[in-house]
Amino acid sequence: MNENLSAMNEALGELRRATERLMALAEQAAVPAVLKNGERILACVEMLELHVCDVVDVLSEEA
Amino acid sequence: MSGANCWNPLLETLPEVQLRRLQLLKFQRQIAYVYERSPFYRKKLDEAGVRPETIQSLDDVRRVPLTTKAELQRVQGTGTFPYGPCLTVPTDEVITYHQTSGTTGRPIRQADSRRDWEWWSECWATLLWAQGFRPSDRVFLPFSYGVFVAFWAAHYACEKIGCEVVPGGGLSTQDRLLKMKELRVSALMCTPTYGLHLAETAEKMGLDLAHDLSVNKIVCAGEPGASIPATKQRLETYWGARVFDHAGATEGGAWGFECPLQPGHMHINEAFFLVEVLHPETEEPVASGEQGELVITPLDRRAQPYLRFALRDLGQLEREACPCGRTFSRLEGGVLGRRDELTKVRGVLFSPTSVEAVVRSVDALGDEYQVVLQKNGALDELTVRAELRPNGGDAVALKTKLQQELRLTTGLRCNVELVELGTLPRFEVKAKRFQDLR
């Protein structure tokens, strides 16, 4: 598999975990500004997953 | 291919075997999600004896019953207000409301979550990037910014790409033309009908669109016109711009687009959609190159998803490779018309869209036309009305020529009436040029 693709996939995993952690903290601290911006980031992360992670899954299945 | 014209070269040039595997993987994921979260689909799938694990191949997809607009109209009055039992998320996760135009009955209300709204603009970004939209573009959107999804998602896709968007709602047609001139906009999006209406208005204002304005590309949607060569050519001549077609639907999303290398062929974004072309009666796939009805599954839509939605549009699938490098299948000639408009006239299947190609290929005729079908005694009578330009030449000879061309194209004898330029109805969004009065 393309090295860049693997690296993007890995970076996206980190981004998702960081976003989810940020949102959990924002919820605990009751900071809507962080929570709502976090939701927007998460929606973008999900689009990035469609562009990268799904391709990785298809190529991994083949391998 | 360099991939420079692809929003995502990884997906758009995926070899066909992998592309089909991706579609299967996504369909399996989607049906599992929908079965768990949508009361409407759980009931429908249970009744058909289909479970998520039934889908082991793309052929198995055909075991999932089709979803029709009539079904959605029936159920939207029940369940979660105002969307009904198709909704898969709590209403506080819905961030936008849109509805269909209601041409074929009660409008369908459409919910989109934050994720889905991102998905809409991703689909649009894919087609806009393919058609040459870049951050240097200043894009004019002359639509009403109302409850119809129309170019809303295009607006956000332009922002995503980095284009400068000029929202052209709330202005008259004349003011829109002046604003486009003033701001030297480079791109425009509209229905083909409105593109022609803008051109006619510009002429009355003494504006030469090709020289006085700076528009170099136009994306058309909402009607098949931009894939009809004669209409595309007229628009390109009036505007001095390249004209691209795009297909989408409120329920289906932005699923099809013309690439710059193959005018008249519309790519299906198969990384995000599964499109089937089925025989209208047997609901079996038609062979490559045969016309059928389009059925769509948006593979990543979540808040109000659809499995195998019958679009009622007609198309002809081609799988051969495109020189642009995309591996996505194409529709030859774009969307070929609406199944609802397809009707039998004296035993011959007739599509009103076929008249457009003939009328607009004749320079002496204006852009507007009308098709009227009525009974004359026991017989169906087909009349085509078109507008003769002031210096259009010999009306009698033209009428005969038009009758011959229409007969060749439609297989039917048509009455032709030539009227004065400017007398037929004008439309600003989607045109209604066909009247069946039988």
Side-chain angles (χ1 to χ4, degrees), chain B residues 289-356:
Chain B
E290 270 181 42
Q291 200 180 115
E293 184 181 340
L294 305 181
V295 168
I296 192 163
T297 302
L299 295 165
D300 303 292
R301 192 173 204 174
R302 290 297 172 84
Q304 192 177 322
Y306 300 97
L307 297 178
R308 305 194 78 212
F309 179 74
L311 284 168
R312 311 285 295 169
D313 284 333
L314 300 168
Q316 184 182 316
L317 199 66
E318 294 289 347
R319 292 221 190 268
E320 66 186 58
C322 177
C324 78
R326 284 179 187 79
T327 46
F328 294 164
S329 304
R330 292 171 290 154
L331 292 178
E332 174 80 29
V335 172
L336 299 173
R338 295 279 302 158
R339 192 181 159 195
D340 302 316
E341 287 188 341
L342 205 61
T343 184
K344 277 209 169 163
V345 180
R346 300 195 289 271
V348 177
L349 212 52
F350 169 70
S351 165
T353 311
S354 58
V355 172
E356 180 165 325

Side-chain angles (χ1 to χ4, degrees), chain A residues 2 5 8 36 39-40 43-44 46-47 50-52 54-55 57-59 61-62, chain B residues 7-8 10-11 14 17-18 21-22 25-26 29 114-115 118-119 122 160 272 300:
Chain A
N2 179 317
L5 187 59
M8 283 194 280
K36 291 293 157 192
E39 283 176 7
R40 294 190 74 165
C44 290
E46 290 185 354
M47 291 307 105
L50 296 182
H51 281 296
V52 174
D54 283 349
V55 182
D57 286 349
V58 165
L59 298 181
E61 212 178 280
E62 197 174 51
Chain B
W7 180 240
N8 183 351
L10 294 170
L11 288 175
L14 210 54
V17 175
Q18 291 165 355
R21 194 172 297 137
L22 176 72
L25 181 148
K26 285 189 167 203
R29 187 168 69 194
R114 205 181 286 289
R115 178 190 193 278
E118 282 295 332
W119 166 83
E122 278 307 314
K160 185 171 271 192
F272 281 30
D300 303 292

Side-chain angles (χ1 to χ4, degrees), chain B residues 179-376:
Chain B
K179 187 57 73 183
M180 280 190 267
K181 181 171 186 262
E182 174 201 332
L183 295 177
R184 298 178 201 158
V185 301
S186 58
L188 168 69
M189 294 186 212
C190 57
T191 61
T193 291
Y194 195 62
L196 293 170
H197 179 67
L198 280 164
E200 189 178 42
T201 307
E203 193 183 355
K204 286 179 190 157
M205 292 166 70
L207 275 177
D208 180 343
L209 292 178
H211 294 100
D212 299 336
L213 271 71
S214 319
V215 174
N216 60 52
K217 51 189 164 291
I218 301 175
V219 177
C220 288
E223 299 170 322
S227 283
I228 297 172
T231 301
K232 184 195 278 282
Q233 194 187 344
R234 281 191 179 209
L235 283 164
E236 292 192 335
T237 306
Y238 293 148
W239 286 88
R242 289 210 59 191
V243 172
F244 297 102
D245 201 3
H246 146 62
T250 312
E251 304 91 337
W255 57 265
F257 60 99
E258 241 182 333
C259 71
L261 297 187
Q262 282 284 14
H265 295 249
M266 194 182 289
H267 281 288
I268 297 163
N269 181 350
E270 292 185 300
F272 281 30
F273 298 91
L274 180 67
V275 173
E276 303 163 73
V277 185
L278 305 183
H279 189 282
E281 266 109 48
T282 64
E283 295 181 1
E284 288 296 314
V286 297
S288 182
E290 270 181 42
Q291 200 180 115
E293 184 181 340
L294 305 181
V295 168
I296 192 163
T297 302
L299 295 165
D300 303 292
R301 192 173 204 174
R302 290 297 172 84
Q304 192 177 322
Y306 300 97
L307 297 178
R308 305 194 78 212
F309 179 74
L311 284 168
R312 311 285 295 169
D313 284 333
L314 300 168
Q316 184 182 316
L317 199 66
E318 294 289 347
R319 292 221 190 268
E320 66 186 58
C322 177
C324 78
R326 284 179 187 79
T327 46
F328 294 164
S329 304
R330 292 171 290 154
L331 292 178
E332 174 80 29
V335 172
L336 299 173
R338 295 279 302 158
R339 192 181 159 195
D340 302 316
E341 287 188 341
L342 205 61
T343 184
K344 277 209 169 163
V345 180
R346 300 195 289 271
V348 177
L349 212 52
F350 169 70
S351 165
T353 311
S354 58
V355 172
E356 180 165 325
V358 176
V359 172
R360 293 204 176 135
S361 65
V362 181
D363 290 342
L365 299 177
D367 300 321
E368 276 308 329
Y369 66 94
Q370 203 173 48
V371 182
V372 182
L373 193 50
Q374 55 199 334
K375 282 277 182 203
N376 184 0

Side-chain angles (χ1 to χ4, degrees), chain B residues 346 373-382 413 415 438:
Chain B
R346 300 195 289 271
L373 193 50
Q374 55 199 334
K375 282 277 182 203
N376 184 0
L379 284 179
D380 293 332
E381 193 170 75
L382 188 60
R413 184 175 40 79
N415 298 323
R438 293 176 296 179

Side-chain angles (χ1 to χ4, degrees), chain B residues 376-396:
Chain B
N376 184 0
L379 284 179
D380 293 332
E381 193 170 75
L382 188 60
T383 303
V384 173
R385 295 194 185 106
E387 295 181 339
L388 183 63
R389 292 190 193 276
N391 301 317
D394 182 351
V396 178

Side-chain angles (χ1 to χ4, degrees), chain A:
Chain A
M1 196 187 311
N2 179 317
E3 269 180 34
N4 284 334
L5 187 59
S6 299
M8 283 194 280
N9 192 36
E10 203 175 306
L12 267 174
E14 289 164 18
L15 189 55
R16 175 178 268 279
R17 286 189 291 279
T19 308
E20 285 173 346
R21 183 169 143 69
L22 180 70
M23 288 169 65
L25 291 169
E27 200 154 20
Q28 277 171 27
V31 188
V34 177
L35 183 62
K36 291 293 157 192
N37 277 296
E39 283 176 7
R40 294 190 74 165
I41 295 170
L42 190 60
C44 290
V45 169
E46 290 185 354
M47 291 307 105
L48 289 165
E49 289 170 345
L50 296 182
H51 281 296
V52 174
C53 306
D54 283 349
V55 182
V56 171
D57 286 349
V58 165
L59 298 181
S60 314
E61 212 178 280
E62 197 174 51

